[in-house]
Amino acid sequence: MAASARFLFRGANSKLYISSVKSGSYNQLRVTLLTSCNSHVKSQRRHAAHFTFQPDPVTTQYGPTQKMNLFQSVTSALDNTLAADPTAVIFGEDVAFGGVFRCTVGLRDKYGKDRVFNTPLCEQGIVGFGIGAAVAGATAIAEIQFADYIYPAFDQIVNEAAKYRYRSGDLFDCGRLTIRAPWGCVGHGSLYHSQSPEAFFAHCPGIKVVVPRSPVQAKGLLLSCIADENPCIFFEPKILYRAAVEQVPVEHYTVPLSQAEILQEGSDVTLVAWGTQIHVMREVAQMAQEKLGVSCELIDLQTILPWDTETICKSVVKTGRLLISHEAPITGGFAAEISSTVQEECFLNLEAPIARVCGYDTPFPHIFEPFYIPDKWKCFEAIKKMINF
Amino acid sequence: MAAMRSVKLSGVCSQAVRQMTGMNACRLLQQRSFRVHGVRRQQTFDPTDKPQFPGASAEFIDRLEFIQPNVISGIPIYRVMDRQGQIINPSEDPQLSKETVRNFYQKMTLLNTMDRILYESQRQGRISFYMTNYGEEGTHIGSAAALEPSDLVFGQYREAGVLLYRGFPLDSFMAQCYANADDLGKGRQMPVHYGSKDLHFVTISSPLATQIPQAAGSAYALKRENLNRAVICYFGEGAASEGDAHAGFNFSATLECPLIFFCRNNGYAISTPTNEQYRGDGIAARGPGYGMMSIRVDGNDVFAVYNATKEARRRAVAENQPFLIEAMTYRIGHHSTSDDSSAYRSVDEVNYWDKQDHPISRLRHYMTERGWWGEDDERSWRKESRKMVMEAFEKAEKRHKPRPDLLFTDVYKEMTPNLTKQRDSMWKHVKQYKEHYPLEAYEK
């Protein structure tokens, strides 16, 4: 299933590799791509990046840091794990040579081919295999090549992984399983290289679902997922693999699961998002301040399931307004869950209807991506309406 | 088109390619594509020309010939004793001791007794559901006996004999079916979904075939531990149609897992006969397609099952490769208590297997012949086994159900704030409306 599509994608990706680590800017990267293409320049011009990555302030509390982009911080987390845990194994499609997104580069050479290995091209097999390894006591880190291709493993995740401990009365569990998958839109990924399937999994008790926004968060949260005694799905925003660069601690450290992070304090509106959308929202908050004089509190949810109700509700009690934004389609999206919970918990504090700015209820389109995504202008407009309500 | 078809690497070039065998496939292809300049026409088939495709190791053939499946004369069925319990080929006799064989027989019949009592109890509405093992007792006991006690078992749901052989107490079987406070699974799953950590029997789940790739993963992990443990994975011929079966077979072969796939081919998946399930030579014939050592055995011959499992287990661990055993048998009972099999098969057909070719009667013939088992043994064992089962049954029925709190634990390793809240809210509600809930049946 993934084979034909990923071939196409790998081609595009090798071009990205040349320019982006250095530049770290998506705009610049597009320019590089354009100049390398002589004919039909105008018709090939892609829409500029819909966000600007801003690194967090450098943290030194976990020891020495190194400049890493998101894929490198994932490798670093996997490296720390394999070094510390002799049972840990990494497997999936094409992970042996370093992965189609370079997340496992060098690990096979360093730790051996019995610990970092390719599987046959079969997602239900990968997750089933990972569950079995975890049941037998190994730390199993499975990779699904794109979140879009996780559905063949839906049965193994929902009926098996999530329910293993519960149905056996805690005799058996697969808590040592972590499933990593590239996630979210990428500018040109179309239907099957752009999806954000977290809401499908949010309806499934027994698993944890985590999405980081940056290299530092990615490493800390991934190490938490691997150490967590429950099966976890870790979605990596693939548009950030090369675009996001910051100082990341080299040694092992963790960022707690089920805890949202307040990135910016504010008093008028609460903005909630996760993954790449955090960077969109950061800009929205700035625009709201500059153009409307509105003070936004920006929260990165980080863990979709089980999510941090307390931090979100506390913030809404203070601000009285809530905007939730995600790339995934609006109907049945996770914003609906947050929205109804906040409405229930903060009814007396809400001064305007809760706004959801999300993807439309369509498949994720190719050439129409700039019109599909919940970009900063759509979010900005929602804040304007909310303030004037 | 003719010119295109005759395009071929030059002699020099193909020789060069042959010398580069150490090179990976991708680079090899690139090399070739850059060297096709020296094209020449060739009219005749060259028998010395060796195929270089990375995907298979084979010769060229100059005739159009489709490979035909052999379903009329399929993979033969390995058998050690005939229907009268006579050893056919003495060199295949496993020479098991009298005690071992008597134990086989007692476990098979004890399972049969438990099945009859629990089946009836479901008919009377005392438990909600049951699945019997009639006709397949030999596959369970024969294979379980050939394993080491620490080998990990993944099952489907019709392998209770494996647990019984390993010493799972009757009380625990009953506790699970009654979902009472003694159930190791805390009363959460339907009856017959047994599991035992101590006996290395992974808890059964209803979704078919999901355990197959899981067994491969466990076998891989055990291989890395290097403690001489194997994994056995049971499934029916119907479950073998699931995508997960394909995944598990292929993964275990490519990742070299010490694993025994044990297929119980009993002719039916609920009402679906095998000719609507597959058109190949059963399940065993698929094994070689995955590069897997495979065998078909008479599932009503406990010694044939034992021998095949024993050898597969020995080689799986020694060579780190999977084995496939297809045990041919017949599902004598209904699929489950929710099924009436007379709606899709004849009583005569069922009677043949029950009366003429049953694993229990065959083993009894074998024992009688040697004077290891007589009418008196049979009578007293029937009485004793029935008494043991009835005692466990009555005990299980009297026991309370587990605390309702256990509805909320083990979803995650830890109790989440959300679940704590929901548990408290349930209690608040139940206390308010207590006359509408069966609280007296549950532990406090």
Side-chain angles (χ1 to χ4, degrees), chain B residues 22 86 96 115 159 161 183 198 228 246 297 357 375 411 429:
Chain B
Q86 302 282 340
L96 298 172
D115 275 351
E159 296 90 9
D183 175 20
D198 296 340
N228 284 326
H246 164 63
V297 304
D357 193 0
E375 277 302 323
V411 177
H429 170 81

Side-chain angles (χ1 to χ4, degrees), chain A residues 338-384:
Chain A
I338 300 174
S339 166
S340 64
T341 303
V342 169
Q343 186 268 149
E344 209 174 291
E345 301 287 328
C346 315
F347 188 70
L348 295 177
N349 306 91
L350 284 169
E351 289 168 26
I354 296 167
R356 292 182 289 158
V357 180
C358 306
Y360 299 117
D361 289 336
T362 67
F364 200 106
H366 184 219
I367 206 65
F368 310 118
E369 178 165 330
F371 303 98
Y372 174 86
I373 52 173
D375 64 12
K376 61 185 174 190
W377 300 108
K378 291 178 187 171
C379 294
F380 175 74
E381 176 60 18
I383 292 179
K384 215 158 81 177

Side-chain angles (χ1 to χ4, degrees), chain A residues 44-376:
Chain A
Q44 288 297 308
R45 183 183 292 275
R46 288 204 188 99
H47 190 66
H50 70 286
F51 69 96
T52 310
F53 177 77
Q54 279 180 25
D56 285 328
V58 179
T59 166
T60 49
Q61 65 180 117
Y62 306 117
T65 63
Q66 199 176 305
K67 200 172 179 184
M68 295 183 202
N69 61 25
L70 197 137
F71 85 64
Q72 289 162 332
S73 78
V74 168
T75 314
S76 175
L78 298 175
D79 189 1
N80 291 155
T81 302
L82 290 170
D85 177 357
T87 72
V89 288
I90 296 171
F91 50 90
E93 295 156 12
D94 307 298
V95 300
F97 86 112
V100 298
F101 286 109
R102 318 313 292 151
C103 291
T104 51
V105 168
L107 297 177
R108 184 185 177 92
D109 291 341
K110 194 166 170 186
Y111 297 102
K113 61 182 191 326
D114 69 317
R115 302 191 63 191
V116 182
F117 51 92
N118 289 339
T119 64
L121 205 165
C122 178
E123 286 78 12
Q124 65 199 93
I126 292 170
V127 174
F129 183 90
I131 292 171
V135 166
T139 297
I141 306 167
E143 178 180 305
I144 297 295
Q145 203 159 68
F146 287 86
D148 312 63
Y149 304 126
I150 204 168
Y151 307 116
F154 202 68
D155 184 41
Q156 286 283 355
I157 295 171
V158 173
N159 274 331
E160 295 291 318
K163 298 173 173 59
Y164 232 94
R165 190 189 298 278
Y166 186 78
R167 74 185 185 206
S168 70
D170 203 18
L171 294 178
F172 295 93
D173 70 84
C174 59
R176 303 178 74 162
L177 169 69
T178 303
I179 302 165
R180 303 172 33 244
W183 167 97
C185 76
V186 70
H188 53 282
S190 179
L191 285 83
Y192 307 111
H193 299 83
S194 307
Q195 292 182 41
S196 305
E198 64 273 17
F200 286 111
F201 296 102
H203 195 53
C204 175
I207 51 171
K208 296 191 176 181
V209 182
V210 179
V211 189
R213 68 167 185 276
S214 71
V216 171
Q217 300 303 309
K219 179 170 173 182
L221 286 168
L222 178 54
L223 284 169
S224 288
C225 283
I226 292 168
D228 194 86
E229 292 183 87
N230 300 287
C232 296
I233 303 179
F234 187 75
F235 287 126
E236 298 162 4
K238 60 181 160 306
I239 201 168
L240 300 177
Y241 271 141
R242 296 190 168 91
V245 183
E246 63 185 353
Q247 290 292 330
V248 180
V250 178
E251 296 302 319
H252 180 284
Y253 66 95
T254 55
V255 173
L257 303 183
S258 293
Q259 262 184 42
E261 186 182 349
I262 301 171
L263 295 176
Q264 181 184 312
E265 306 250 357
S267 54
D268 300 329
V269 185
T270 301
L271 309 181
V272 174
W274 49 92
T276 321
Q277 198 63 14
I278 277 294
H279 306 298
V280 174
M281 292 293 239
R282 216 195 279 265
E283 251 182 286
V284 171
Q286 206 181 332
M287 285 160 67
Q289 186 67 62
E290 286 166 6
K291 296 183 202 279
L292 308 170
V294 168
S295 158
C296 295
E297 179 143 305
L298 176 60
I299 303 181
D300 181 358
L301 189 64
Q302 292 185 147
T303 302
I304 309 300
L305 185 75
W307 65 289
D308 183 357
T309 324
E310 204 187 324
T311 301
I312 310 295
C313 289
K314 256 190 191 161
S315 172
V316 177
V317 165
K318 180 175 74 175
T319 62
R321 293 180 184 86
L322 173 63
L323 164 65
I324 314 153
S325 180
H326 56 62
E327 286 176 15
I330 188 162
T331 302
F334 197 65
E337 179 60 35
I338 300 174
S339 166
S340 64
T341 303
V342 169
Q343 186 268 149
E344 209 174 291
E345 301 287 328
C346 315
F347 188 70
L348 295 177
N349 306 91
L350 284 169
E351 289 168 26
I354 296 167
R356 292 182 289 158
V357 180
C358 306
Y360 299 117
D361 289 336
T362 67
F364 200 106
H366 184 219
I367 206 65
F368 310 118
E369 178 165 330
F371 303 98
Y372 174 86
I373 52 173
D375 64 12
K376 61 185 174 190

